[in-house]
Amino acid sequence: MDVYRDLSDALTKHRVVSFLQHLKKHDLTLNQYSILSWIDQQGPALPVQLAEHLELKAASITYLVDALEQKGLVYRKPNPRDGRSHYVDHTEAGHALVLDKRNEGDDRIMSIFRAMDDEELDMLYVMMKLLRRKLFR
Amino acid sequence: MDVYRDLSDALTKHRVVSFLQHLKKHDLTLNQYSILSWIDQQGPALPVQLAEHLELKAASITYLVDALEQKGLVYRKPNPRDGRSHYVDHTEAGHALVLDKRNEGDDRIMSIFRAMDDEELDMLYVMMKLLRRKLFR
DNA sequence: TATTGTTATACTCTATAACTATA
DNA sequence: TATAGTTATAGAGTATAACAATA
């Protein structure tokens, strides 16, 4: 039990700290990054969708999109099916920033895995799948 | 590699979400909780120490300690060795709140572990220790 | 002089309310 | 009428600067 908590505390801290460093490096707030990441996965989004996903009010989305637009990471384009709204899409720079985050950290983790022997790797793979299933399904 | 990332993403999300729920339940901000938790582990702290630990300015510490004091979770007491400063210590209520967080979630995790057979538990224990050592030492 | 902590003030991010344009 | 989004404004939490008290 304590081993579980130690590991999950450490994993969590490691992940959170490296994520916050990434935000700082690119001078983004958490919600600014969330918008970029959401668009990167789901495609162009309407402000009303972003508001629901981020659990923020429409006025706050306007503020966030304005900031991302000024940084050149997103742009607004018309919604052909509804003249009241517009899609928010990412620019090349916006996409690159999210990709950069996705790949970041791989080197370190890969080198740790490479340093393990075959038996360790097999056990690890089995246990991770087991743990994941038990904990999150 | 993907199994690792899936597991660590899920663990991180699970931990972060349950932590934020705890903050909301007690109507605390992240930094208010950080002060309580730090005092609970390290004992009474000077504002200058809290400022360094939380990476905030002294004026912000004053603001946070004022808020915690109003909630009855901490109090200020004189520093006998330096008349300029004072120690911030937690009340019984402040200590109880941190303890509550430490124990929260155990029931769910324990029931998952109880549902595993001996062989699975042994493997899990060994792999968690191995992982923890490789990843964070 | 330097340091600790508080107070006054400004800035950032979010919410609420009023508004415009479109459905 | 109802909805999408913007603008104006207020509130929470942070930083900066000026200050008082002590080292």
Side-chain angles (χ1 to χ4, degrees), chain A residues 33-66:
Chain A
Y33 181 81
S34 297
I35 288 180
L36 273 184
S37 170
W38 178 255
I39 290 173
D40 203 65
Q41 287 171 52
Q42 311 286 327
L46 301 173
V48 65
Q49 296 168 331
L50 294 172
E52 198 202 332
H53 171 60
L54 297 187
E55 297 180 43
L56 292 176
K57 298 300 168 185
S60 304
I61 299 298
T62 299
Y63 180 84
L64 291 167
V65 171
D66 284 349

Side-chain angles (χ1 to χ4, degrees), chain B residues 77-88:
Chain B
K77 61 184 183 186
N79 177 357
R81 284 180 298 287
D82 188 334
R84 292 172 302 179
S85 65
H86 54 261
Y87 282 102
V88 182

Side-chain angles (χ1 to χ4, degrees), chain A residues 62-75:
Chain A
T62 299
Y63 180 84
L64 291 167
V65 171
D66 284 349
L68 287 169
E69 207 170 30
Q70 282 192 354
K71 292 177 213 271
L73 300 173
V74 305
Y75 65 100

Side-chain angles (χ1 to χ4, degrees), chain A residues 9 19 21 30 35 40 44 56 58 62 66 80 85 93-94 97 99 103 107-108 123 131 133 137:
Chain A
D9 279 352
F19 180 62
Q21 284 172 346
L30 173 59
I35 288 180
D40 203 65
L56 292 176
T62 299
D66 284 349
S85 66
L97 196 152
L99 254 193
N103 296 329
D107 289 351
R108 179 162 168 277
M123 265 180 80
L131 241 196
R133 198 172 63 238
R137 300 226 190 277

Side-chain angles (χ1 to χ4, degrees), chain B residues 7-130:
Chain B
L7 176 61
S8 107
D9 280 353
L11 276 178
T12 300
K13 188 173 176 188
H14 175 246
R15 274 322 197 59
V16 169
V17 166
S18 92
F19 180 63
L20 294 180
Q21 284 171 346
H22 189 256
L23 292 184
K24 196 168 189 179
K25 184 171 121 194
H26 292 285
D27 193 29
L28 289 179
T29 66
L30 173 60
N31 284 333
Q32 285 166 12
Y33 182 82
S34 297
I35 287 180
L36 272 184
S37 170
W38 178 254
I39 290 173
D40 203 65
Q41 288 171 51
Q42 311 286 328
L46 301 173
V48 64
Q49 297 169 329
L50 294 172
E52 197 201 333
H53 171 60
L54 297 187
E55 297 180 43
L56 292 175
K57 297 302 169 184
S60 304
I61 300 298
T62 299
Y63 179 84
L64 291 167
V65 172
D66 285 348
L68 288 169
E69 207 171 30
Q70 281 191 353
K71 292 177 211 272
L73 300 174
V74 305
Y75 66 101
R76 292 166 161 103
K77 61 184 183 186
N79 177 357
R81 284 180 298 287
D82 188 334
R84 292 172 302 179
S85 65
H86 54 261
Y87 282 102
V88 182
D89 199 0
H90 59 194
T91 61
E92 263 310 304
H95 174 60
L97 195 152
V98 175
L99 254 192
D100 180 32
K101 169 62 189 148
R102 291 247 161 73
N103 296 328
E104 171 252 316
D106 281 11
D107 288 352
R108 179 162 168 277
I109 300 296
M110 282 308 288
S111 77
I112 288 166
F113 286 172
R114 266 195 297 272
M116 293 169 77
D117 64 34
D118 285 351
E119 195 189 355
E120 284 176 344
L121 279 175
D122 286 346
M123 265 180 77
L124 182 61
Y125 181 76
V126 171
M127 289 315 299
M128 278 183 168
K129 284 218 302 199
L130 176 73

